[in-house]
Amino acid sequence: MLTIHYLLSDGSRCSCTDAQPGSSVMENALWLNVAGIDAECGGACVCATCHVQVEEAFLAALPPPDDMERALLASAILGHSPRSRLSCQIAMTPALDGIVVHVPAH
């Protein structure tokens, strides 16, 4: 089992301690009802309602965003940064165990 920490815009924290390898950060957020991760498209990478900011320490363990994710972030997220990712595109691996993502306010 892998762990994901969600830091919410109100300063609270929610953690998933039983994420399965291969499951997405978004899927685990939906199972936990994490406020701010709406995932309106269900993980199809077309809505950006699962946007998160990944803690710097975990960026190197992530594969780079593909062209579709990069374009969606650029068009849908005002002020996106190199830490901006769509949580539906982050598949959990042992290298990401303990990942910390910030859930921006809508």
Side-chain angles (χ1 to χ4, degrees):
M1 300 295 184
L2 305 170
T3 299
I4 306 166
H5 301 287
Y6 302 90
L7 300 180
L8 307 181
S9 61
D10 67 2
S12 63
R13 179 184 188 123
C14 180
S15 295
C16 173
T17 58
D18 60 354
Q20 296 292 318
S23 66
S24 73
V25 170
M26 178 215 73
E27 289 168 329
N28 289 285
L30 292 179
W31 291 324
L32 288 174
N33 292 314
V34 173
I37 297 186
D38 300 328
E40 292 175 4
C41 72
C45 194
V46 295
C47 72
T49 61
C50 68
H51 169 247
V52 295
Q53 296 278 335
V54 177
E55 286 261 323
E56 187 80 30
F58 291 93
L59 289 176
L62 291 173
D66 65 17
D67 291 340
M68 185 177 198
E69 181 182 2
R70 198 172 8 262
L72 190 55
L73 286 167
S75 66
I77 305 299
L78 183 62
H80 74 284
S81 76
R83 293 180 41 222
S84 292
R85 293 298 300 263
L86 299 180
S87 61
C88 67
Q89 300 301 299
I90 302 173
M92 290 301 296
T93 65
L96 294 175
D97 189 25
I99 190 170
V100 178
V101 297
H102 296 258
V103 181
H106 290 337

